Amino acid sequence: MSISVLARAWWQVAYRVEARSYSDPSRNGQLDLEQLVSATSAVRLHRSLLLSLGYRFLDVGSDEPTAALQRHRAEIGVAWQPVERLAVNIGYALWAQTLPNGA
């Protein structure tokens, strides 16, 4: 039995920006600018074992001070597929959020 240490690996980085305006009168024409940056990578350690890592950062800026926030999220996961129709996935994520003063 031979084990290939690095059969396959990939890395992906993405950036998304979204601007929103609310027509709801209760929001007084609130304007939000949302930016999301994410990075994900995976390494296939063996034909049945995959290790994945991820990080996301979300920043919401708004003309309504209590609507602004920053959020960080880190993830790690392991997927094991011993046979074609059976897979076991284990993951852990940790996130932190910062709100403006007064929120």
Side-chain angles (χ1 to χ4, degrees):
M1 179 173 148
S2 67
I3 297 176
S4 174
V5 175
L6 183 61
R8 187 171 68 177
W10 60 267
W11 183 54
Q12 177 182 1
V13 177
Y15 173 76
R16 186 192 80 201
V17 62
E18 180 179 330
R20 286 192 304 260
S21 174
Y22 295 93
S23 59
D24 185 353
S26 66
R27 294 198 179 205
N28 291 332
Q30 177 181 330
L31 301 173
D32 290 347
L33 180 65
E34 182 177 296
Q35 300 177 72
L36 174 69
V37 178
S38 63
T40 308
S41 65
V43 177
R44 184 163 298 283
L45 302 173
H46 183 264
R47 63 180 151 82
S48 64
L49 189 62
L50 180 72
L51 173 68
S52 61
L53 301 168
Y55 172 76
R56 291 183 180 94
F57 174 70
L58 173 68
D59 178 73
V60 177
S62 178
D63 64 346
E64 179 62 40
T66 57
L69 65 86
Q70 290 185 339
R71 184 179 297 153
H72 301 268
R73 179 181 171 107
E75 305 168 342
I76 186 168
V78 176
W80 177 53
Q81 188 173 8
V83 293
E84 184 180 341
R85 298 191 181 266
L86 174 67
V88 178
N89 295 301
I90 298 172
Y92 183 78
L94 180 65
W95 65 274
Q97 179 170 293
T98 305
L99 299 172
N101 292 335

